[in-house]
């Protein structure tokens, strides 16, 4: 429910910006995000194992610093299959993207947010669940 409200609010801001400028406006020196390069997990894993790893990461990440709102925005952006919508999410949240694949980002206060590739995409060696 919270993610739906965040996305709805961010979507409204995106429409407003598009209406004013007729294109997506990147805030400051924001970089355009892209999909991560293909990667391989050390051992083949199932979709359910990947989801468990992702859940554990998102549950613990805010405890290592930064703002909960930024973590929530990064989670929403990481889960968004449409890169243009993910871009809107990070831009509206004020996320400063260092690596265009979202593996390293900062907030406006300078706090660093590191995202592992497994929360951003699936490995090339994923196997089916039994």
């Amino acid at each position: 429910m919270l993610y739906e409200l965040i996305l709805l609010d961010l979507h409204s801001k995106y429409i407003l910006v598009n209406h004013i400028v007729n294109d997506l406006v990147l805030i400051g020196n924001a970089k355009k995000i892209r999909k991560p390069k293909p990667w391989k997990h050390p051992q083949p894993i199932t979709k359910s194992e990947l989801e468990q790893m992702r859940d554990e990461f998102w549950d613990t990440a805010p405890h290592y610093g930064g703002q909960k709102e930024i973590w929530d925005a990064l989670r929403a952006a990481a889960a968004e299959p449409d890169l243009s919508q993910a871009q809107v999410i990070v831009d509206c949240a004020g996320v400063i993207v260092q690596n265009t694949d979202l593996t390293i980002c900062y907030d406006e206060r300078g706090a660093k947010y590191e995202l592992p590739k497994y929360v951003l995409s699936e490995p090339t060696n994923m196997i089916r669940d039994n």
Side-chain angles (χ1 to χ4, degrees):
M1 179 78 172
L2 175 62
Y3 293 115
E4 292 171 4
L5 292 174
I6 290 170
L7 289 175
L8 180 61
D9 184 46
L10 294 175
H11 184 69
S12 298
K13 290 177 184 175
Y14 172 71
I15 291 171
L16 177 62
V17 169
N18 256 349
H19 178 70
I20 294 169
V21 184
N22 199 23
D23 201 356
L24 176 64
V25 173
L26 299 178
I27 300 168
N29 290 327
K31 295 180 181 179
K32 189 168 183 162
I33 61 173
R34 62 172 174 77
K35 291 183 178 184
K37 292 179 181 176
W39 62 280
K40 193 174 189 176
H41 194 270
Q43 301 166 338
I45 59 171
T46 65
K47 179 77 170 172
S48 60
E49 290 170 325
L50 179 64
E51 290 301 321
Q52 182 179 359
M53 289 171 56
R54 288 176 174 174
D55 289 343
E56 288 173 7
F57 173 79
W58 292 119
D59 288 345
T60 60
H63 300 290
Y64 294 100
Q67 300 175 64
K68 182 174 181 345
E69 296 80 10
I70 299 296
W71 284 114
D72 290 344
L74 289 171
R75 185 175 190 170
E80 178 56 58
D82 181 347
L83 285 180
S84 64
Q85 291 296 327
Q87 184 77 54
V88 170
I89 293 168
V90 297
D91 290 345
C92 289
V95 173
I96 300 161
V97 176
Q98 179 175 327
N99 293 354
T100 56
D101 63 1
L102 294 180
T103 53
I104 300 179
C105 301
Y106 293 87
D107 65 21
E108 294 168 338
R109 296 178 180 173
K112 187 176 185 178
Y113 300 81
E114 293 187 61
L115 304 181
K117 288 186 180 187
Y118 64 82
V119 301
L120 300 167
S121 65
E122 295 179 348
T124 58
N125 61 338
M126 194 157 59
I127 56 176
R128 292 184 189 190
D129 286 309
N130 289 333

